[in-house]
Amino acid sequence: MENFKGQPRLPKFAVPKRYDLQLKPDLSACKFAGSVSIDVDIVAETRFIVLNAAELSINPGSVSFSPRNSSKVFDPKKVELVEEDEILVLDFAEALPLGLGVLAIGFEGILNDRMKGFYRSTYEHNGEKKNMAVTQFEPADARRSFPCWDEPSFKAKFKITLDVPSELVALSNMPVIEEKVNGPLKTVSYQESPIMSTYLVAYVVGLFDYVEDHTSDGIKVRVYCQVGKANQGEFALKVAVRTLELYKDYFAVPYPLPKLDMIAIPDFAAGAMENYGLVTYRETALLYDEKHSAAANKQRVATVVAHELAHQWFGNLVTMEWWTHLWLNEGFATWVSYLATDSIFPEWRIWTQFLDELTDGLRLDGLAESHPIEVEINHAAEIDEIFDAISYRKGASVIRMLQSYLGAECFQRSLASYIKKHAYSNAKTEDLWAALEEGSGEPVTKLMNTWTKQKGYPVVSVKFKDQKLEFEQSQFFSSGSLGDGQWIVPITFCCGSYDKKKSFLLQTKSENYDVKEFASDSNKSAWIKLNVDQTGFYRVKYDEELAARLRYAIENKYLTPTDRFGILDDSFALCMARQLPLTSLLTLMGAYREELDYTVLSNLISITYKVGRIAADARPELMDNINQFFVNIFQYSAEKLGWDATQGESHLDSMLRGEILTALAMVGHKETLSEASRRFDAFLKDRNTPLLPPDTRKAAYVAVMQTVTSSNRADFDSLLKVYRETDLSQEKIRILGSLPSCPDQRIIREVLKFSLSPEVRSQDAMYALAVSKEGREVAWTWFKENWDLILKTYGSGFLITRFVSAVVSPFASFEKVKEVEEFFANRSMPSIARTLKQSLERVNINANWVKSIQAEQNLGEAIQELAYRKY
């Protein structure tokens, strides 16, 4: 018995083949009863059966094992549920016969309110509050709903039956084959599923409306949502039908199930979950309201639907063998969701926006406390923390880098053969590399191991000397410290024109490249840009001469948006790592004053926020000039876009308008603040006023919060009123994300208190954590005071990590590091350990950056000049 405790994985002497699961949820008492009969293959001599179970009460008298070829029934002499390991150990008096048998177990459980396992979500119907029952089993919570082998490699078939109130809708992975009504209850039976992992099993019970369509090959697709919101599912439905058809061609394998349901769940921890045939979503990721959703909401719905449907092949049909290979699921689904969205909405230029994913991956992976893409998992509690920017965004970025290196056609061909080979089975990272190696003839495994088995990435320094380019790679850390990692780097570069593109693999620490052919007299001052289109997962540091040429190329619009983005983002990262003075970064930012590309400007805006915060800590006396300089950068695009949409304008302009106006409000631009106030007043009088459509609402909300104080709080109270009156999640989140931008500390405290009130769904509280720099200390005090409540509400899921990083990371002093360490000295736990270390590392990086800015010579003069330069 003791041998089974404290193990990361279940023993393999018994293997499940099929589950016959019956469940009866009681939605008013918030509990459920169930029984499961599991076809089990005993493959090695044992008198034990060990499987997963958690927070269930097992009825020992209901447990038995009946071998297929014998009439004998084995009853366990001991049934023990080991809660700390989440295992159920069945100890029989004698060894079980080898071969197939049926394991029967009866059990009961709680419909919890923690958004994991089999849980309850609440909704209103005709003004009455009601419960629905929902599942969220990834990564390791099917065990909270029924005893099972809850690891991805134990794939089995599932036959599910639900006993539910007869007026409710009950959905599962497969289509309904029979509904038997018996008075107030009905028994709903579903078709048996194909072989799949436990984390993809799903069932939902509640009151729903739906909209329906079919793919050209007859797959029935439905979007379910709360009663009265069905029209908000139309957009996602259209995207789903087109995406399924697209993936069928891309993967060269048809969608494997007879139907696909997508359903919006009011209380939902993640963005969405790809359960086979029954995909669950937050409302904000599935519903789109023509009148009250912004362009950014529309794009979010499209990319999330495309991501989840990619999983139906990559994850559900072919499943990772263990959580170490989670990135295969998430990195791939992220990458291919851009491919699908680009095909359906080419005008969104979504591959340029992919750079936001790349940047998020680079930012996290620049920390010493990052982790490799393939990460050892030794305990179920550790899995949640790797659903992060490394698995999703670095994962997607290295796939994009590899596809760019191998070529799109060869990549697609090899993927199709990988999916055919591993369908209805499990795969590891090396299986994908083997398929790509076979299809391309390139040494994919050798190349990619440097990117997935070690953490971090290189910065490639480049100098121009004697008609040669000198390249040198070294590990990049945001802290500026030196690392000893080395990579095989696919280098691409252009000189003076995109017609002249060169590429090679940098396999050593440094290498020279002869560029005589580029360096004719007429071309002496040509720009040289590395990592063309930012397809590589690395940063570039140019010598001063090359950097100046690139600045000139940006000002004269010679470069593509992706390359303009890359130069800016790398310079910001180098400045944070204290390898580039702030003066140089600000001078480069000035070259973007006529920028109009959405993705580039969006990144420029987020960089101004970060630079503004650090500068305020380092040199508060320079802030007026710095803010004036930021206004100068944004003025051009703001004047071009204005507050009002023009007929037939692009989706990207709609998204940009809101972001640019928010940025101007944040730096205190008077005209923006007063215009926002005027439009906000009109909106309060008429919620449908054309003066404040969804795309500019957040900007107006942020703007009015800039002038709110505890003695002048009318606009704050008005926003809370709008929050309480709307039933659209997207609108609630717009408001929640705007409130904490207020500089008044008492108001911030009130906002934080509100975030933990019953008026805010627990998955949405984190939107209120993005506090102004004036609110950092208040947020930290509030966090400490409310730690026990936060722990109770979020302690068992990944959302608690969001609290830790949002509250701790914005600080910029060494004293604060000590204070935070002291607070967590006796409060840490496995599920937040990694996040806490990363957050403290960020505070140290900020503190060192502040010190270096304080020591920078002539910074004041440079900023003065930039703020008042006449163009």
Side-chain angles (χ1 to χ4, degrees), residues 680-742:
F680 181 64
D681 289 343
F683 172 72
L684 293 178
K685 292 187 184 88
D686 170 16
R687 297 293 154 82
N688 295 312
T689 176
L691 286 175
L692 204 60
D695 289 315
T696 49
R697 263 180 224 166
K698 174 130 195 229
Y701 298 167
V702 166
V704 298
M705 286 307 293
Q706 299 312 295
T707 52
V708 162
T709 63
S710 46
S711 55
N712 172 29
R713 50 176 296 140
D715 286 342
F716 174 44
D717 292 329
S718 299
L719 271 175
L720 288 176
K721 185 170 186 284
V722 177
Y723 178 93
R724 287 169 178 137
E725 287 172 5
T726 182
D727 71 338
L728 187 69
S729 301
Q730 290 162 351
E731 183 68 26
K732 284 187 186 293
I733 281 167
R734 256 198 295 274
I735 295 167
L736 271 179
S738 306
L739 299 177
S741 67
C742 181

Side-chain angles (χ1 to χ4, degrees), residues 122-131 167 207 226:
T122 58
Y123 62 103
E124 274 195 15
H125 182 242
N126 296 336
E128 192 187 334
K129 202 171 179 185
K130 291 183 176 290
N131 290 331
E167 74 280 7
L207 267 184
Q226 284 185 53

Side-chain angles (χ1 to χ4, degrees), residues 112-124:
N112 70 69
D113 58 359
R114 301 199 314 274
M115 298 185 284
K116 61 192 275 188
F118 197 14
Y119 72 92
R120 67 182 163 90
S121 173
T122 58
Y123 62 103
E124 274 195 15

